[in-house]
Amino acid sequence: MSASEDAHNTPGPVGSGPDPGQSPRGLLARALGGGSDPDPRFTLANERTFLAWIRTSLAMVAGGIAVEAFTLELFTPELRKTVSVLLLLLGLVTGGGSFFRWLNVERAMRRQIPLPAPLLAPVLAVGGAIVAAVLIVFVLGRAS
């Protein structure tokens, strides 16, 4: 091994990471599609939003499981299955869509173009409204 190769393979000082101006490489670079690094505060805000969508997704999945597991005596089997599947589907769509939302926002920030429309919000709103409508019909039907 030559002296230049040895110097190249020697780790840097503790705490030294990649060059802050260094662009991502490999799969991440291909996924992001070029552009320049945005302000780190915006990237971190995008990541926090992604994590919020993931939390929402997990809440939907937990709600779907809870409805199926703990409402045996409250709901009819058809209603229980309908509400549970709706909540699980909302969790699936929200979890999967949150990644693409994060990726599209990151790409837009790197290319300095307008941010994409938040498609997850209307899907979640309509899905939540459908679940609520099903439960309202159940409650009204049960009271009479």
Side-chain angles (χ1 to χ4, degrees), residues 26-50:
L27 182 61
L28 181 60
R30 280 188 279 159
L32 293 175
S36 60
D37 288 339
D39 187 329
R41 293 174 294 177
F42 299 139
T43 297
L44 293 173
N46 191 26
E47 288 178 9
R48 285 191 300 273
T49 304
F50 168 73

Side-chain angles (χ1 to χ4, degrees), residues 11-17:
V14 174
S16 67

